[in-house]
């Protein structure tokens, strides 16, 4: 770990394994700003990697649910978890989540209801996350798309 301070190394090494329903080690070094609603890093344990395709707020008939970012985030996250479960993964196996939105301002304005929707699905399990503002998504009515990676631990 050359180039990494002793404090960061101790913080990363001291991070607990699992917790909040995950078998993976969440790493939040004290040398970085405290994360809110995400983890700075996740060290996945040995297992099978599940690459999840981008999920929007589509119903089974293909129509997008709701016009707002909160409704769309809630449905997109439900769809992502449905794909995970079909692949044999559980919510705590999610190690990375990218959020793509066509309306970053609306996303920021709705952080509390977005957080509530997130916790309904994932509790307080926070993988490594990033938010990207994009000019458009494949479905022109979609405002949110989620792309994730899960690791199913070896038993």
């Amino acid at each position: 770990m050359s180039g990494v301070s002793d404090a960061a190394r101790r913080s990363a090494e001291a991070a607990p394994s699992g917790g909040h329903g995950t078998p993976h080690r969440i790493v939040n070094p004290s040398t970085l700003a405290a994360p809110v609603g995400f983890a700075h890093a996740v060290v996945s344990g040995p297992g099978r990697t599940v690459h999840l395709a981008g999920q929007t707020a589509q119903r089974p008939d293909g129509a997008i649910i709701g016009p707002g970012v909160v409704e769309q985030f809630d449905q997109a996250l439900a769809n992502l978890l449905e794909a995970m479960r079909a692949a044999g993964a559980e919510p705590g196996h999610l190690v990375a989540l990218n959020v793509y939105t066509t309306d970053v301002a609306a996303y920021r304005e709705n952080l509390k209801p977005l957080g509530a929707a997130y916790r309904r699905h994932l509790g307080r399990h926070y993988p490594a996350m990033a938010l990207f503002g994009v000019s458009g998504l494949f479905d022109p009515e979609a405002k949110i798309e989620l792309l994730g990676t899960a690791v199913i631990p070896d038993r």
Side-chain angles (χ1 to χ4, degrees):
M1 293 177 82
S2 69
V4 176
S5 72
D6 287 339
R9 185 176 302 109
R10 282 191 304 275
S11 177
E13 291 170 351
S17 293
H20 298 296
T22 183
H24 308 296
R25 186 165 55 96
I26 305 300
V27 180
N28 290 312
S30 61
T31 53
L32 295 175
V36 177
F38 69 96
H40 283 294
V42 177
V43 179
S44 58
R48 294 169 291 140
T49 302
V50 179
H51 299 277
L52 298 152
Q55 297 294 320
T56 61
Q58 284 186 317
R59 296 187 310 230
D61 68 3
I64 296 291
I65 291 176
V69 295
V70 175
E71 301 92 346
Q72 288 199 16
F73 179 86
D74 188 51
Q75 184 62 48
L77 190 52
N79 291 348
L80 187 89
L81 292 172
E82 182 67 21
M84 283 178 56
R85 288 184 184 102
E90 298 172 8
H93 298 159
L94 191 65
V95 296
L97 181 64
N98 290 337
V99 179
Y100 299 89
T101 182
T102 59
D103 193 345
V104 173
Y107 193 94
R108 283 190 188 119
E109 291 167 6
N110 287 285
L111 287 178
K112 286 191 184 234
L114 284 163
Y118 180 94
R119 287 186 299 279
R120 271 195 306 280
H121 294 284
L122 288 167
R124 296 211 176 265
H125 168 61
Y126 299 111
M129 293 178 67
L131 173 70
F132 300 92
V134 297
S135 62
L137 297 166
F138 184 77
D139 186 318
E141 295 194 26
K143 292 183 178 170
I144 297 283
E145 186 163 340
L146 304 178
L147 180 70
T149 304
V151 177
I152 302 169
D154 290 340
R155 303 239 179 239

